[in-house]
Amino acid sequence: MIRHNENVSESWKTLPWKQFRRDLFRLQRRVFKAVKAGDKRKAKSLQKLILKSYAARMLAVRRVTQLNAGKKSAGVDGKLALSNRERFTLSQELKEKARTWKHQGLREVPIPKKNGKTRLLKVPTIADRAWQCLIYFALSPAHEATFHARSYGFRTGRSAHDAQKILFLNLSSKAKGKDKRVIELDIEKCFDRINHSAIMDKLIAPQSIKQGIFRCLKAGISPEFPEQGTPQGGVVSPLLANIALNGIEEIHQSVRYADDMVIILKPKDNAEAILNKISQFLAQRGLRVSQAKTKLTATTDGFDFLGWHFRVQSNGKFRSTPSTDNFKAFRQKIKSIVNSSNYGATVKAEKLAPVVRGWRNYHKFCKMDGGRNSLIHIQHRTFKVFNKETKKDRYSSKKLLDKAFPSVPYSENKFVNVKGEKSPYDGDITYWSERNSKLYDGETSKACKRQNHSCGFCGMKMLSDEKVHLHHVDGNHSNWKKNNLLAVHRSCHQNHHRGNRMSGAGCTEMGTSGSN
């Protein structure tokens, strides 16, 4: 029995994932081009092929069970993970029922908000997430062909840093940002109030997919608002929200990240008239502007957006720094690790490193000098704890501190925006692989360039649909010689180390966080 299970596990690992990705991308590229050319009939036929595609089904199952951040989140059925045998079974179920898929209920998880209230994260089952992922593969390229260039949230190939750079370009001294104002737009309960008909009317999809999406929406409804809402927690939910809100950027110069939006006003612009137009746009989608949270702000007074604080100084210089709320949340994570009595200094350093690296990577295009953002005070407190736990061995404490607080090079406002309306589905592999490599720094970036932006295991280009990991060839994570470092896809890295564990090699996985 054990031998049979090992065969199943090995057969999953040795599936032709490289070919699957090529097959799916070929179909998605054709969908994108068909919509761009205005041939929606052809696009819908190709979407049906994606639904039937063995490659798409297997990639959907792998993504929700192995790659996604919420891969260990249980739905109402209580399942936290699937065995390889169950993955094959789920793929077969998608084949037989994709066109008539029935969603189970959603598990509600309360998430605390900054104002003390909570929002409900509604988690589908693993099977429902796999179906949604399959549908996402079909819908995403069709709508990427229609999305506005200044929409950056939850889109492949775009990130929050694109939005940050757009604000710099519009509020810098060259753009006379000192004289401008911004509207900090807040949409009241956006995900809970989006009208289902607004989504369905704009959906580019064959009838079978539309019916499935409609059932998906109905599975997460609130009894008070049966015709509204898309559940937060589903794979396809952010895409549906983007579909409903697409076009709001055309009302006035602005930048949008999902339901967060900043509207940029020149001195003569009428803020009230612009807000009225936006209110009319939102009303057609069952939404409205939050009067309490929407603010008109002078750029010299500063405003928060996506975890950053933006302000134009009195001398006209544009500045972005981590927002106060963002820093407080980060500091709390650090304190909970440093002050924990559950593990020693060595484990604390290992747990701190990815938290600090991730925070510094996210803010690496900000102004980060100064006491707070340089983390000098937090490091001083951490050193004291480490020194105590290493029995005042200052050399060991300093070594652990350096490991816990990895440095990240900063380049204020130097991020390079994605070109116009370019999309990863346009087939320009060279552009997207080189761009993706630039989103990483240090040894990961160098390894990508040495490998011509291709994965060291599968040989395929490094695109933004999957994170890049840095693999140590000899398994020694202290050996940072360049011939020991290999840039690889996250999934390839996982497969490699699973294979080594099965054979008793006992390697450990080590990834490098990117900024996207």
Side-chain angles (χ1 to χ4, degrees), residues 292-304:
K293 296 181 181 178
T294 297
K295 295 180 286 185
L296 178 63
T297 309
T299 56
T300 50
D301 292 336
F303 61 96
D304 290 351

Side-chain angles (χ1 to χ4, degrees), residues 181-226:
R181 299 164 295 160
V182 298
I183 298 174
E184 301 173 62
L185 184 70
D186 186 272
I187 303 172
E188 191 173 314
K189 296 183 177 179
C190 180
F191 282 86
D192 296 331
R193 295 290 180 267
I194 291 179
N195 193 291
H196 291 170
S197 61
I199 296 173
M200 300 307 298
D201 291 345
K202 294 180 177 297
L203 216 54
I204 302 172
Q207 195 59 33
S208 58
I209 291 181
K210 283 191 173 184
Q211 288 173 347
I213 289 293
F214 190 72
R215 286 191 291 265
C216 171
L217 291 172
K218 292 303 179 186
I221 61 170
S222 165
E224 301 174 58
F225 305 96

Side-chain angles (χ1 to χ4, degrees), residues 351-365:
K351 288 182 174 292
L352 284 170
V355 175
V356 173
R357 185 187 295 111
W359 188 79
R360 282 178 160 168
N361 267 321
Y362 187 74
H363 297 297
K364 68 180 179 180
F365 300 107

Side-chain angles (χ1 to χ4, degrees), residues 271-327:
E272 188 175 344
I274 292 167
L275 273 174
N276 284 337
K277 289 180 181 178
I278 287 173
S279 295
Q280 291 172 22
F281 178 94
L282 294 175
Q284 295 171 3
R285 290 149 180 80
L287 301 170
R288 61 184 181 183
V289 174
S290 170
Q291 299 298 327
K293 296 181 181 178
T294 297
K295 295 180 286 185
L296 178 63
T297 309
T299 56
T300 50
D301 292 336
F303 61 96
D304 290 351
F305 184 56
L306 302 178
W308 294 304
H309 181 73
F310 299 96
R311 187 171 74 88
V312 179
Q313 298 175 164
S314 56
N315 61 0
K317 184 80 172 178
F318 173 89
R319 289 285 185 224
S320 62
T321 55
S323 69
T324 300
D325 288 341
N326 180 277
F327 181 81

